[in-house]
Amino acid sequence: MVIVAQPTRLPQNALMTENKPAGSANVFLFAVIMERLPGSDRWATERWEAKGIVRDASAADETQRVIYADDRTEQILFPGLTLRLEPREAEGYYVNITSTRPKVFVMWRMDGEIARPVYITASYIEGVGWVDSGENVDSVALPEDLLPLIAEFVAEHYRPEPKKEPRYASSKDKGVASRR
C-alpha cells in the first residue's frame, strides 16, 4: 500500500488560493522608462537601468519610443507591461508595502543593443527571486496611487502563518534537537 501525502490548506491562507479572471481590478497597465548611460569603466561602453514606471494609456499597437536623448544618455519608454496582483504573492506585497520605500521590480533583458523590460512585480519576494536567479532586475519607486490598492489587496488576501511553539531539546538529548 502506498500512502500519498496530500497538501493541506491552512484555513488562514484559504483566500490566497482564489483565482480572479483577467481584466479584474487587480490588473494594471504600465510603461517602463529605461535609461542608457555611459559605462562606468573601460570595459563597458554603456549600462542600462530602469528609471521609473508610469500608467500606460498608449494605443495597443504602440512600440517603444525615445522620450529623451542627449549626447550622454537616452531614455526609452516601453509600454504594455502588466502588473497583476496575485493572491499567492500577497506576502511579498505585504513585505514591500511595509518597507520604508515600497517599489516595483523591473526584470529586463538585452535585446540586441537595447535593454527591454520583460516583467514587473510589486512582490518583494518575487523580485528578490529574480535577482537570486541571475536576472537583470532594477527597482523603481511604487506609484503613490497604487499603494492603497495594494494595501487593500493585502488586507483581503494575506494571513500571516500562525506562530509555532519552539521545540527545545531535552537535557537527556545532550543538546541534539528533538525529532518529533
Side-chain angles (χ1 to χ4, degrees), residues 3-139:
I3 299 174
V4 177
Q6 296 294 322
T8 57
R9 279 192 171 158
L10 299 174
Q12 69 272 13
N13 291 333
L15 291 174
M16 294 176 68
T17 60
E18 296 174 3
N19 287 327
K20 293 203 175 189
S24 69
N26 300 327
V27 178
F28 307 95
L29 289 176
F30 283 97
V32 175
I33 302 167
M34 295 295 293
E35 184 173 49
R36 180 190 334 229
L37 298 162
S40 57
D41 57 43
R42 65 181 190 202
W43 294 281
T45 59
E46 64 187 26
R47 63 183 172 88
W48 287 88
E49 64 183 46
K51 289 303 282 185
I53 64 170
V54 293
R55 290 290 183 125
D56 188 4
S58 63
D61 61 345
E62 190 173 335
T63 60
Q64 82 260 6
R65 68 179 194 273
V66 175
I67 57 173
Y68 175 81
D70 63 18
D71 58 338
R72 296 180 41 86
T73 63
E74 179 180 44
Q75 291 183 349
I76 302 175
L77 183 71
F78 291 90
L81 283 110
T82 303
L83 177 68
R84 183 182 312 270
L85 299 180
E86 300 285 350
R88 68 179 179 270
E89 290 293 332
E91 182 178 8
Y93 306 138
Y94 173 78
V95 171
N96 190 12
I97 66 172
T98 57
S99 68
T100 55
R101 289 190 204 133
K103 51 190 83 170
V104 173
F105 296 89
V106 178
M107 179 201 302
W108 56 271
R109 295 182 177 144
M110 290 303 294
D111 183 15
E113 297 291 317
I114 295 178
R116 185 173 307 282
V118 182
Y119 300 109
I120 58 175
T121 186
S123 168
Y124 187 87
I125 295 170
E126 188 174 25
V128 168
W130 291 344
V131 171
D132 289 346
S133 66
E135 295 288 350
N136 295 312
V137 179
D138 291 324
S139 61

Side-chain angles (χ1 to χ4, degrees), residues 153-166:
F153 184 87
V154 166
E156 181 181 343
H157 294 283
Y158 176 61
R159 301 292 175 265
E161 294 288 330
K163 300 271 186 214
K164 293 182 180 180
E165 292 289 324

